[in-house]
């Protein structure tokens, strides 16, 4: 039941990005982004009022719906501020911050709860969101100038999605974003349960074991992005997918607990060498509607994360070996196919 809280946030988040992307193209990225960040801060703080798992899940659904204008529009903004051949580094920073937040938040939450309670944790995160909103309000004019609103009808909307998914480049990129996010979310969401069952560690120990997950993205994200800009995404994507599969395979084989952060780090490195690179490709697909293109990307990303968490959790009735084995084989298959499918993603690729 507690495991359902994760997809309760991620799936509505992904679905709502389609709406926020459209609104951003029509109303302006800065308006929608700041309104969404305000909704995140308020709804996260209100989650502290929940009196049951069901109420927490409901608040997480509402928070996912309200907060989903931040990440996709941040990615779309990068696409407007930097040319395609220079987007790798800023996208590396952005995805590295996402991975670092997940990794550092896990041990921080486990260590803070004994002192502030789980309700206090939601209040702290809500207050942090409000602080970030106030910090970035002075930059609203810069953001507004970077991306001008685009008028259009619902017919234009559907034609936009048809255009994004109507080319082989768009189909393979969005497809990989979906399946790759299912893999990473499925494995990472249940990694704490794995360490608890296999090694008997408590909440703080689980948090420390997961700490390595954010290190590669936090430290190496910009370097990975720069490498993609310099050598092309065709060389890095297969390697990143293969590293992810290797990390999952190590979980099947087993290892000393002291190496848990290293395995988490390897899993994270696989993520940092794939999803940001896919995001860079998507920023070149949107044309005059970057919000719509990135909204579809984040829809695939977060819906994939929610589905991956659900599927992996359901498969756990057959044991970790079966779940990890299936996810590993799928990721290895993606790695093998990516060598051919993304061979055209070399430096300065401009079209399909």
């Amino acid at each position: 039941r507690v495991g359902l809280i994760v997809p309760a946030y991620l799936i509505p988040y992904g679905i709502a990005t389609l709406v926020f992307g459209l609104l951003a193209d029509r109303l302006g990225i800065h308006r929608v982004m700041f309104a969404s960040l305000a909704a995140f801060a308020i709804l996260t703080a209100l989650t502290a009022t929940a009196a049951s798992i069901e109420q927490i899940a409901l608040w997480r659904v509402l928070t996912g719906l309200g907060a989903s204008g931040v990440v996709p529009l941040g990615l779309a903004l990068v696409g407007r501020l930097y040319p395609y051949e220079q987007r790798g580094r800023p996208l590396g920073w952005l995805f590295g911050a996402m991975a670092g937040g997940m990794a550092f938040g896990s041990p921080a939450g486990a260590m803070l709860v004994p002192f502030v309670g789980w309700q206090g944790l939601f209040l702290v995160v809500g207050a942090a969101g409000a602080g970030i909103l106030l910090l970035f309000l002075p930059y609203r004019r810069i953001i507004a100038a970077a991306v001008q609103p685009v008028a259009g009808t619902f017919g234009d909307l559907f034609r936009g999605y048809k255009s994004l998914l109507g080319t082989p480049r768009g189909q393979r990129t969005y497809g990989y974003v979906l399946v790759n996010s299912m893999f990473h979310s499925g494995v990472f969401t249940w990694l704490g349960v794995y360490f608890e069952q296999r090694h008997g560690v408590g909440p703080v120990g689980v948090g420390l074991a997961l700490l390595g997950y954010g290190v590669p993205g936090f430290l190496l994200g910009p370097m990975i992005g720069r490498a993609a800009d310099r050598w092309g995404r065709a060389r890095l994507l297969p390697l990143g997918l293969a590293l992810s599969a290797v990390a999952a395979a190590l979980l099947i084989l087993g290892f000393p607990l002291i190496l848990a952060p290293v395995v988490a780090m390897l899993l994270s490195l696989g993520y940092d060498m794939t999803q940001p690179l896919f995001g860079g490709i998507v920023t070149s697909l949107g044309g005059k509607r970057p919000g719509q293109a990135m909204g579809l990307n984040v829809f695939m990303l977060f819906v994939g994360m929610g589905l991956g968490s659900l599927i992996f959790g359901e498969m756990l009735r057959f044991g970790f070996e079966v779940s990890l084995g299936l996810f590993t084989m799928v990721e290895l298959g993606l790695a093998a196919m990516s060598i051919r499918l993304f061979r055209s993603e070399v430096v300065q690729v401009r079209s399909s």
Side-chain angles (χ1 to χ4, degrees), residues 108-144:
M111 294 175 183
L112 283 175
V113 164
F115 301 99
V116 302
W118 68 265
Q119 295 95 336
L121 191 61
F122 278 100
L123 292 174
V124 168
V125 176
I132 293 296
L133 175 62
L134 294 176
L135 181 65
F136 277 91
L137 278 177
Y139 296 94
R140 60 187 182 275
R141 292 184 179 178
I142 297 176
I143 298 174

